[in-house]
Amino acid sequence: MRVLMVTPGTRGDVAPMAGLGSRLQGLGYEVAVAANPAYAPLVVESGCEFRPLPGDLAGLITQPAPGAKASSGSVLTFWRKLTEYMDNAATGTLAAAEAGADVILANSVAPYAYDIADALGIPAIGAHLQPIEPSAAYPPVIMNSAQSLGAWGNKIIGERAAAGPAPYDAPSARLRRELGLGKESRAAGERRRRKAKATILHGISPTVLPRPADWHSGLVMAGYWWPAVEPDWQPSADLVDFLAEGPPPVFVGFGSSAHIDPAFILEATRRAGVRAVVQGAEGGLGDDAIAVGSVPHEWLFPHMAAVVHHAGAGTAAAGLRAGVPAVGVPVYTDQPLWASRLAALGAGPAPIPYKKLTPERLGDAIMKAVSTPSYSLRAAELGAAIAKEDGTVAVVGALQNL
């Protein structure tokens, strides 16, 4: 079976899917991953075929410095650019599918993959890293907030948000016209699939987010999909030496979501009295910190006293897998949900919204994370529970049932 994974997102979206693809390849499936060109090496190193989706979403969504406010003009410009990006991604998805596929696994921002699958006469299955189904259990992730609106409020606002405008609406409509399909809005298509209880697999641990009681039977909480392990990867000598020279440091990194001045971060870590591993920084940071680029989380995080991150789905999962406390600094979309879950599960202090981030607040939260024994104990318990789960099993089951 030829499986095409459509992932028009950032590295945090692509890496888990490529890791899942690597597992499926080992089980005899042929897997191709459609993603931005920047992630071609990641996909190929996972053992999957790479198929390009034009553009660079990471460059488009990077946020300004903490506390800076976007103007109304910049918001409109961002929406226009995001719609253009999705239009190009839709065209790339069609080309990727026409290159050969028996089934499409589409992430949550690629609803046009269903239209393409309809036109080609092949099945499509949702493969989501976020819970976007309207539910009483959580507020809609599009709100950029984890503040519950109550059971009825969460459900009703979630339904309205799902029916509202989205940057992939126009691309979906264009593709349907070009492919000779009947007129159907993206929201109407989602309602139709919901009524049919279509399968959507979620690469989310039920330990972290229990399956909501109001989900229909086709919505599957599969468990995490982990990035593929690089068998030949080795840490730099400088990083190994730094880790050996003192107590476990704290990791600070915000992935593709934001780039923060290293001086800002060091002010916070020095306030907390901890050593730091700062991802995305360059050059020397002093005796108490080291700058790193891309380092596998599964190797790095177990060496940390705590991790500070944007609470993206994959990074939050990696911190829990390592069994270390976390300080969530959510920036947008689903990140507030995961940051709130980390705190609710007892694996770290209350999150700090990115827009309210200051060195003082971050330093105090880091100090609390590393000095509160219950956070470490709870994180270790969660890591042990997650280690017993295998998110690939449900995916294989869904593919076998096609």
Side-chain angles (χ1 to χ4, degrees):
M1 181 182 289
R2 298 170 299 171
V3 179
L4 172 63
M5 298 179 171
V6 181
T7 60
T10 63
R11 183 182 183 90
D13 300 295
V14 178
M17 298 304 294
L20 172 62
S22 179
R23 290 286 307 276
L24 293 177
Q25 289 263 139
L27 296 172
Y29 294 87
E30 296 179 20
V31 182
V33 179
N36 288 167
Y39 309 118
L42 169 63
V43 171
V44 173
E45 289 166 6
S46 298
C48 302
E49 178 190 349
F50 173 75
R51 296 181 186 175
L53 298 180
D56 175 21
L57 185 61
L60 181 60
I61 64 176
T62 299
Q63 299 295 296
K69 294 184 178 180
S71 67
S72 59
S74 65
V75 172
L76 293 173
T77 299
F78 171 74
W79 184 269
R80 177 179 56 79
K81 289 183 177 180
L82 188 57
T83 300
E84 291 174 356
Y85 171 84
M86 288 299 175
D87 193 63
N88 290 329
T91 299
T93 299
L94 176 58
E98 289 178 334
D102 298 314
V103 60
I104 296 177
L105 296 185
N107 75 3
S108 60
V109 294
Y112 38 77
Y114 288 97
D115 304 313
I116 292 168
D118 285 347
L120 298 181
I122 61 176
I125 299 175
H128 297 181
L129 301 177
Q130 310 84 8
I132 64 169
E133 180 72 14
S135 172
Y138 46 77
V141 297
I142 196 172
M143 290 178 60
N144 295 327
S145 171
Q147 182 64 46
S148 176
L149 305 171
W152 282 103
N154 288 342
K155 184 79 169 184
I156 293 171
I157 299 301
E159 290 172 348
R160 291 182 178 178
Y168 28 72
D169 288 347
S172 294
R174 175 182 64 80
L175 275 180
R176 291 191 69 85
R177 288 194 304 270
E178 294 177 358
L179 295 172
L181 298 172
K183 189 174 182 180
E184 181 182 62
S185 70
R186 183 268 314 167
E190 290 180 351
R191 287 194 298 270
R192 173 174 54 81
R193 290 189 291 275
R194 186 175 297 121
K195 186 176 181 180
K197 298 181 180 179
T199 299
I200 298 179
L201 304 163
H202 293 80
I204 300 169
S205 168
T207 296
V208 177
L209 182 68
R211 187 182 187 280
D214 59 358
W215 272 16
H216 67 69
S217 59
L219 301 174
V220 180
M221 199 71 85
Y224 286 131
W225 302 321
W226 300 111
V229 175
E230 302 175 46
D232 299 326
W233 184 87
Q234 293 292 327
S236 69
D238 287 345
L239 178 56
V240 172
D241 290 344
F242 178 79
L243 294 176
E245 287 168 356
V250 169
F251 168 88
V252 185
F254 297 92
S256 304
S257 299
H259 298 293
I260 299 178
D261 185 347
F264 182 107
I265 294 171
L266 293 178
E267 184 179 347
T269 56
R270 286 167 183 163
R271 177 184 178 87
V274 299
R275 303 195 311 146
V277 174
V278 184
Q279 189 173 51
E282 296 181 358
L285 300 180
D287 294 338
D288 61 348
I290 187 172
V292 298
S294 179
V295 179
H297 290 165
E298 70 268 15
W299 182 90
L300 181 62
F301 283 6
H303 294 284
M304 300 294 106
V307 291
V308 179
H309 52 66
H310 56 298
T315 310
L320 289 171
R321 183 191 199 186
V324 296
V327 176
V329 184
V331 184
Y332 45 57
T333 57
D334 59 323
Q335 295 167 8
L337 172 63
W338 303 126
S340 71
R341 291 304 300 154
L342 292 172
L345 290 166
I352 308 170
Y354 177 75
K355 291 182 179 180
K356 297 182 178 180
L357 187 66
T358 65
E360 293 77 18
R361 285 176 175 161
L362 182 57
D364 291 348
I366 292 172
M367 193 182 308
K368 187 178 293 185
V370 300
S371 63
T372 305
S374 64
Y375 293 152
S376 295
L377 291 171
R378 184 61 178 142
E381 291 174 353
L382 293 166
I386 290 169
K388 299 175 182 178
E389 301 168 357
D390 185 353
T392 309
V393 173
V395 180
V396 172
L399 294 174
Q400 291 177 339
N401 287 333
L402 291 175

